[in-house]
Amino acid sequence: MMIEAALAAEAGSTVDNDRISSRNEFEGARVLVSGGTSGVGLVIAKEFAAAGAERIVLLGRNAGRGVSATRIVGAEGAAVHFVGGDAGDPQGSGEMARQASEYLDGRVDCFVSAVAPGGHLGPLDRQDPVELGRVLVGLVLPVMQMNRAVLPYMKEHGGTMINIASDAAKVPTPGESVAGGAMAAITMFTRTLALEVKRHGIRVHAVTPSLIAGTETAERLVADDFGARIFAKITEKAQLGVPDATDIAAGVLWLASSAAAKITGQVISINGGISAG
């Protein structure tokens, strides 16, 4: 119950339906959220449920979080299922997609990769060279593997794929050379994939937040002096307000909605005015 209470606090006690396209926009939809058991992914799943999605599958590593998250999302009226595994493992990602598709009746209308963006902040000369490969692989591979694994279940009916990355892909920020390189890889992957799969009626986007208020990732990144200084400067620039997870979810749902039916291959910043690009 402690896990569930923490997750409920992350997701918010209510969903603000005025911030999403329409209560019934996703009526009957099948939705798959990788990283959907906590943080931004959990809020995205919850808002899809509130907007009428019929079935939702949450992918994650932690079974305890998974069980609690299904209750939280299910409270919005959707049928929710958890599938555990490692999105970065080629065989594991394929098996996760297969199990998810069975629960979703073989159809995925929207896939969201919300594996927490991030990495170790700090100048490159302070990074452990042994860790560089692990960090890059850990940030990029789960996104690519799950996109690849889900594609076969979207080709027949079309749909939308949305990858959560970071504005580090666009805006050079001291201390984010490694994370920025990884996020840039995700955004270029996303844009190129959009061109590859448009003939199947599949649209692909990336959403790139900067600092997301109220998340564990934000707390971790500002825990040391270097990160605290960097993000204090970023917060000053966010004169529209530092986005929270609900702001990110609202953007995701709009991109997945019929209002964006003619849009694909976009990398959208949701950052409160920190930058424009």
Side-chain angles (χ1 to χ4, degrees):
M1 294 303 295
M2 291 181 63
I3 292 177
E4 189 160 345
L7 293 179
E10 279 188 346
S13 58
T14 62
V15 173
D16 184 351
N17 293 315
D18 292 335
R19 300 175 72 176
I20 55 183
S21 308
S22 165
R23 176 73 194 183
N24 298 315
E25 171 68 35
F26 297 98
E27 185 174 1
R30 269 63 168 164
V31 178
L32 176 58
V33 183
S34 181
T37 61
S38 64
V40 173
L42 175 58
V43 175
I44 289 170
K46 189 177 178 184
E47 293 213 5
F48 266 115
E54 181 177 347
R55 293 194 177 200
I56 299 175
V57 173
L58 310 177
L59 306 181
R61 293 187 180 188
N62 187 302
R65 282 180 176 266
V67 171
S68 296
T70 58
R71 295 195 188 104
I72 292 168
V73 178
E76 298 296 332
V80 187
H81 183 63
F82 168 71
V83 175
D86 182 0
D89 176 71
Q91 292 183 337
S93 59
E95 178 60 18
M96 291 165 76
R98 185 194 67 76
Q99 291 184 36
S101 72
E102 287 185 355
Y103 186 78
L104 299 174
D105 298 328
R107 187 182 96 223
V108 178
D109 297 311
C110 184
F111 167 68
V112 180
S113 174
V115 179
H120 297 290
L121 285 175
L124 183 61
D125 60 3
R126 298 183 192 174
Q127 303 292 321
D128 183 346
V130 177
E131 291 292 297
L132 289 181
R134 184 190 64 79
V135 171
L136 284 172
V137 169
L139 290 174
V140 176
L141 200 58
V143 178
M144 293 185 174
Q145 292 284 17
M146 282 310 309
N147 275 254
R148 171 63 183 86
V150 171
L151 266 177
Y153 306 103
M154 300 188 70
K155 284 185 175 181
E156 182 178 351
H157 300 283
T160 311
M161 310 178 82
I162 300 173
N163 297 315
I164 308 299
S166 163
D167 260 354
K170 299 179 178 181
V171 183
T173 302
E176 291 191 323
S177 54
V178 177
M183 295 300 111
I186 292 172
T187 58
M188 182 54 73
F189 165 79
T190 297
R191 294 171 63 198
T192 304
L193 181 61
L195 297 180
E196 291 180 358
V197 301
K198 63 182 180 180
R199 67 184 184 275
H200 301 294
I202 301 172
R203 300 182 295 115
V204 191
H205 298 291
V207 171
T208 57
S210 184
L211 185 65
I212 307 174
T215 62
E216 290 182 3
T217 300
E219 293 175 2
R220 176 173 54 81
L221 291 176
V222 301
D224 61 75
D225 290 341
F226 185 90
R229 290 197 302 271
I230 292 294
F231 283 108
K233 294 178 181 178
I234 288 175
T235 300
E236 289 178 6
K237 294 180 180 179
Q239 294 180 346
L240 298 176
V242 176
D244 60 20
T246 308
D247 294 305
I248 308 307
V252 167
L253 265 68
W254 182 81
L255 287 170
S257 75
S258 58
K262 300 298 189 294
I263 304 173
T264 193
Q266 300 305 299
V267 180
I268 307 295
S269 295
I270 302 176
N271 61 22
I274 291 170
S275 66

